[in-house]
Amino acid sequence: MIRGADMSSERQPVARDLREAAQGALARRLAPRWMEAHALLPLGIDEGGAVVVAAAETPHETVLDELVRTFARPVRVVAHAAGEIQAALLTGERSDESGAITTTGDGGDEPALDDLRALADQEPVIRLVNVTLLDALRAGASDVHIEPLAGELRVRYRLDGVLREMTRIGRQYQAAVLSRIKIMAGLDIAERRRAQDGRIRLRLEGRDVDLRVSTLPGLHGEGIVLRLLDAGATTRDLATLGMPAAIEARVRQLIARTGGIVLVTGPTGSGKTTTLYAALAQLNSSAVKIVTVEDPVEYRVEGVTQVPVQARTGMTFASALRSMLRHDPDIIMVGELRDTEAAAIAMQAALTGHLVLSTLHTTDAVGAVTRLVDMGIEPYLVAATLQGVLAQRLVRVLCDDCAVPRAPTADEQRAWGAAARPRRAAGCERCAGTGYRGRTGIYELFVPDEALRARIVAGDAPSALRAQARAHGTSSLRDEGMRLVRDGITTAEELLRAVGEDAA
């Protein structure tokens, strides 16, 4: 049979394709140790009936003969990096005879500390961890979840706000993989019974990447979540965030003020920090001093004094705020108002001629008022300092390559008339079958006028404040989201996922 070993470089398989192949039927027909020794991995069968094999270099004639004999088909070789092939082979099912790393799982004794270090320093483990992180960066993942299940480790990426399973790793590698990540993050590898937090700084494909690492003990062992922060990424401009023109114009007016507090609200992962940095980019100039306190510093901004929170050294949000006020700032950005002390200092700074930008976790914009009062801020102080609140969510955008028009429902037809252009998700190779590619924001802006400030001081319920705001033209998150559904940018299902039933 013809052995097509032409080292074709047609389409390079990505790391997750390799991992899937390592767990596939073709790979199971070859001895794992043999594949590792020759740095090759069968990927699949092409249209001509040949077995496509990824290899780091042209295999020896005897190796090709063995492949042809095993599969009884022609063999075509495509070039790929040896490290990624060997890392992928670790994810395949293999027995102890393969010579692979073996550690204990549930019910067994925990490996000794020296054994953990030795396991974590083995080259295949280092490759597996590095390839996983590189694959996540290439895919645009915001988080990597490494979760122990009853019989294996599951690896999931958060892509466009939604978790997607990428691969599974044999349970026998759990201690080695987790120990490797903990060593990189400077964590205690011997401590497996309490949560730990750390950070990793890497350079991947010429980019500096910061990773926040969090471990959590569970029923089947420790799970790890890594938040990827691209230290080399540039800050966004307000014009690129997808705000309606009217809301963008009002936001620009709010941040141009010389005092008061402007808040951005929403759940974790809704893009609040990106919006704050876009505001800073708008304000940053040689004429003003801007100081930030963040946990962690997600983007580096030239000309801005950025202070990272370091709880171990006593540098909390509150202590950093007290210190920065002695540095004569014009603008202060607080990553998050987490406690009463920090909120009180921020509100006092806003009252004394500083523009303060910060975030809160609330369902909608009006909810920020209630949250501040619940934190112990007097209603009159909230009314005096609060300039505006921008609530936001991120929704996935339909893939333009595969989205198809759909007929509007009767309610949609009545509401939108001829303007209705809804579409539905289909799924294609470009969007990995999800039907969506990329995200955009939906926004609700609450700017209290004098009547609303009086209601805040009087302690009116959020429902009353919300009704008053709606009467003065404030659109809800749901209203803004439905505009995107009408225009075929996203779907009603995606809007429900991002906003839920509460934001009416």
Side-chain angles (χ1 to χ4, degrees), residues 5-72:
D6 58 0
M7 292 302 288
S8 166
S9 59
E10 45 184 55
R11 182 187 73 85
Q12 289 292 308
V14 297
R16 56 181 172 273
D17 294 335
L18 290 175
R19 291 198 293 263
E20 290 172 2
Q23 298 173 13
L26 292 177
R28 293 175 189 272
R29 296 175 62 180
L30 299 172
R33 177 180 286 177
W34 188 83
M35 288 189 289
E36 287 178 1
H38 299 292
L40 59 82
L41 175 62
L43 301 176
I45 298 174
D46 66 13
E47 294 178 355
V51 174
V52 181
V53 176
E57 57 187 30
T58 303
H60 190 271
E61 228 176 88
T62 58
V63 174
L64 289 171
D65 285 339
E66 180 64 20
L67 290 170
V68 170
R69 185 192 65 78
T70 300
F71 297 116

Side-chain angles (χ1 to χ4, degrees), residues 406-424 478-493 495:
R406 67 165 176 85
T409 66
D411 288 341
E412 290 170 344
Q413 188 66 51
R414 282 192 294 271
W416 300 332
R421 298 187 300 275
R423 299 190 296 173
R424 63 176 177 83
R478 182 171 298 283
D479 291 341
E480 290 298 318
M482 289 306 293
R483 178 179 58 82
L484 299 184
V485 175
R486 180 199 68 192
D487 293 342
I489 296 171
T490 191
T491 63
E493 294 79 12
L495 179 62

Side-chain angles (χ1 to χ4, degrees), residues 167-355:
T167 191
R168 297 199 177 197
I169 301 171
R171 179 65 177 220
Q172 63 268 38
Y173 313 121
Q174 176 175 340
V177 170
L178 298 186
S179 295
R180 177 65 194 166
I181 295 172
K182 289 166 75 173
I183 287 172
M184 294 170 69
L187 303 179
D188 183 357
I189 64 173
E191 178 55 70
R192 309 178 191 96
R193 293 171 177 81
R194 66 177 178 86
Q196 298 186 71
D197 294 298
R199 294 177 186 172
I200 301 172
R201 181 83 183 247
L202 292 176
R203 189 164 183 81
L204 295 173
E205 293 194 326
R207 296 155 65 183
D208 289 325
V209 180
D210 288 325
L211 297 97
R212 281 189 285 177
V213 181
S214 178
T215 73
L216 185 67
L219 178 63
H220 300 298
E222 285 182 295
I224 288 185
V225 175
L226 303 100
R227 167 65 60 89
L228 278 67
L229 305 171
D230 189 348
T234 57
T235 55
R236 300 279 296 274
D237 184 86
L238 285 172
T240 68
L241 299 182
M243 294 182 190
I247 290 181
E248 182 189 332
R250 293 296 302 275
V251 168
R252 291 182 184 274
Q253 292 172 359
L254 291 175
I255 64 175
R257 297 182 181 180
T258 56
I261 187 166
V262 177
L263 296 173
V264 182
T265 76
T268 300
S270 59
K272 300 187 297 297
T273 301
T274 299
T275 299
L276 284 185
Y277 274 107
L280 288 186
Q282 172 75 24
L283 297 169
N284 192 15
S285 75
S286 60
V288 295
K289 182 176 179 90
I290 303 175
V291 184
T292 76
V293 53
E294 307 168 63
D295 183 23
V297 174
E298 297 195 16
Y299 302 96
R300 285 159 178 76
V301 184
E302 187 70 25
V304 174
T305 302
Q306 296 175 272
V307 180
V309 168
Q310 297 178 356
R312 293 178 183 174
T313 63
M315 183 62 78
T316 63
F317 276 108
S319 62
L321 273 168
R322 280 192 294 267
S323 298
M324 68 173 56
L325 286 173
R326 295 192 286 271
H327 283 250
D328 187 30
D330 298 293
I331 299 165
I332 297 170
M333 193 267 271
V334 186
E336 182 183 347
L337 297 182
R338 291 185 178 176
D339 55 50
T340 299
E341 185 179 13
I345 298 170
M347 300 301 278
Q348 286 295 333
L351 194 63
T352 54
H354 304 86
L355 176 65

Side-chain angles (χ1 to χ4, degrees), residues 143 158 161 212 227 264-275 298 335-336 359-365 371 389-395 439 441-444 477 495-500 502-503:
D143 303 85
R158 189 172 293 281
R212 281 189 285 177
R227 167 65 60 89
V264 182
T265 76
T268 300
S270 59
K272 300 187 297 297
T273 301
T274 299
T275 299
E298 297 195 16
E336 182 183 347
T359 72
L360 276 177
H361 290 278
T362 64
T363 302
D364 64 356
R371 178 76 179 115
V389 184
L390 182 72
Q392 65 180 66
R393 299 289 190 278
L394 293 177
V395 293
R439 290 189 291 178
I442 54 175
Y443 302 91
E444 170 187 316
L477 285 169
L495 179 62
L496 180 63
R497 183 196 66 80
V499 175
D502 298 328

